[in-house]
Amino acid sequence: MVANADLLFLIAVRVLAMIETAPLLSGEGSPQIAKIGLAGFAAVAVYPWVLEAGYPMPGDAIGYFGAIVGEALIGIIIGFFLASCCKGSKDSGQEEAYDYSNQGFTY
């Protein structure tokens, strides 16, 4: 596992970026150390499958830095998509409740 620590770090970067932007964990209610620990645990859990799939690793430092930036951007995009889905479902429920409240029904 030490031989492929760079792969484990790339996985952790993507997971941490996703956790930082995901709806449930992105707020201030979750401590930063818990987010980092969860990202590390998830990276270790997913690592064997990614290693077996044969993730292409860059050969030089510039390519590795680009891979880090790319993984972070993918994680941010996934987290933003999750936040958008949660926001959309929340807004649709509020719109439905608003429609029922303005129809003049007495309860």
Side-chain angles (χ1 to χ4, degrees), residues 40-59:
F41 177 74
V44 169
V46 173
Y47 173 77
W49 290 290
V50 176
L51 185 63
E52 184 180 316
Y55 186 87
M57 292 300 294

Side-chain angles (χ1 to χ4, degrees), residues 71-97:
E71 291 294 328
L73 288 175
I74 290 172
I76 290 170
I77 290 169
I78 292 171
F80 178 73
F81 179 74
L82 291 171
S84 298
C85 289
C86 287
K87 179 71 172 160
S89 63
K90 180 181 173 187
D91 287 347
S92 66
Q94 288 178 346
E95 181 69 27
E96 191 69 28

Side-chain angles (χ1 to χ4, degrees), residues 9-21 55 64-80:
F9 181 71
L10 286 177
I11 297 168
V13 166
R14 181 187 288 198
V15 174
L16 184 61
M18 184 181 65
I19 287 173
E20 288 291 336
T21 56
Y55 186 87
Y64 188 70
F65 179 74
I68 291 172
V69 171
E71 291 294 328
L73 288 175
I74 290 172
I76 290 170
I77 290 169
I78 292 171
F80 178 73

